[in-house]
Amino acid sequence: MPKVGYFYTDCLVPMVGNNPYATNEENAKELCTNAEVYALSSRKLAVLQIRSPLIKKKSKAFRQALICWIKRCGFTKVILFSSTHAYQRVDQQLFGPPFRYLLTPNMERSVADLLKELEWKQMEKVSAYPGINDEEKQISIPGGGFTKRFYSDCCSEEIQMAVVLKFCSEGDNIPDAFALVNHANKWLHLVPHSDVDSPTEWKMPSSWRLLFGSGLPPALF
């Protein structure tokens, strides 16, 4: 997907770096920022990739800016890819696939039946006060950043929005990324897929080759 612009905001930690999707020496010199927009008109698809964390106390301003952008551009539907800590799952979340979804009321009317046919599992609500009041339950996405609050904002603003997330652990999350996008592809049909989950349909970003650094320099020894 070609880059078409960037999302300018002072709510994210400033960041600049080399092109993470470089394919040759020329485009390797391009710079990337903390929030960039990619688009593919043939699929009527736009992607906002966020590469740095939110600045403390600016989460609300960022969410409001996102919603204004969504409304101004007139997006038909919004899908947020996210994750949550695997080690903080409750008992009922330990069984079945490690994927969950959430739908705003406006989105639920159009895709809820389809996701049930795909046998997707909706994010379970957990006790707000475990052991004290197990009757009161709420959505909890530990480690998911602004996911939960942005979902609530989209519910209030009547935006067609879905959250697709995976339970993840710290470490090498490349397999998690492929698993999540393969899972979402069963619904969105972005690329042809087979019944067996396989990352072969996707191109790995060149920047992932040095995910854990470039190795120990020989001069150390």
Side-chain angles (χ1 to χ4, degrees):
M1 296 179 67
K3 182 168 67 175
V4 296
Y6 58 90
F7 194 84
Y8 180 77
T9 176
D10 63 351
C11 299
L12 296 170
V13 174
M15 187 220 82
V16 66
N18 292 100
N19 181 8
Y21 306 121
T23 56
N24 53 55
E25 288 188 12
E26 288 188 10
N27 63 19
K29 298 175 183 178
E30 297 176 4
L31 296 178
C32 73
T33 60
N34 52 13
E36 292 185 321
V37 182
Y38 300 81
L40 195 62
S41 57
S42 61
R43 294 294 183 94
K44 297 183 178 179
L45 178 67
V47 172
L48 170 64
Q49 182 171 13
I50 301 170
R51 296 192 175 96
S52 68
L54 283 166
I55 293 174
K56 193 175 182 180
K57 296 184 179 179
K58 288 199 173 185
S59 174
K60 185 176 181 180
F62 181 68
R63 299 193 319 266
Q64 289 175 339
L66 269 182
I67 287 175
C68 288
W69 180 61
I70 289 167
K71 289 184 173 181
R72 188 171 66 250
C73 293
F75 292 119
T76 305
K77 61 188 175 200
V78 179
I79 301 169
L80 173 62
F81 287 167
S82 187
S83 65
T84 183
H85 290 321
Y87 69 86
Q88 287 190 250
R89 286 176 289 180
V90 295
D91 289 349
Q92 65 264 37
Q93 294 173 337
L94 295 173
F95 301 94
F99 307 101
R100 293 295 186 273
Y101 75 90
L102 288 169
L103 300 175
T104 60
N106 279 27
M107 189 73 153
E108 194 165 3
R109 287 193 285 268
S110 59
V111 303
D113 292 338
L114 174 60
L115 296 187
K116 286 180 181 178
E117 286 179 19
L118 293 172
E119 298 182 347
W120 281 25
K121 295 191 70 174
Q122 195 166 10
M123 189 67 173
E124 300 89 347
K125 291 186 177 181
V126 300
S127 299
Y129 305 100
I132 300 175
N133 182 5
D134 293 326
E135 298 296 324
E136 186 179 344
K137 295 184 180 293
Q138 63 180 10
I139 293 171
S140 178
I141 309 178
F146 67 92
T147 300
K148 178 182 173 181
R149 289 180 178 176
F150 185 59
Y151 166 75
S152 299
D153 292 341
C154 288
C155 288
S156 302
E157 296 291 335
E158 299 183 347
I159 292 173
Q160 289 201 50
M161 185 260 203
V163 177
V164 183
L165 56 82
K166 184 181 186 296
F167 294 110
C168 294
S169 301
E170 294 293 337
D172 182 358
N173 294 125
I174 289 177
D176 294 312
F178 278 128
L180 182 60
V181 76
N182 274 311
H183 180 69
N185 192 52
K186 294 175 183 177
W187 166 31
L188 302 174
H189 303 294
L190 298 174
V191 298
H193 68 280
S194 61
D195 293 332
V196 180
D197 287 348
S198 172
T200 54
E201 297 285 353
W202 309 99
K203 291 181 181 178
M204 184 182 294
S206 56
S207 58
W208 286 9
R209 293 198 306 266
L210 301 178
L211 184 64
F212 295 101
S214 56
L216 296 174
L220 285 176
F221 303 99

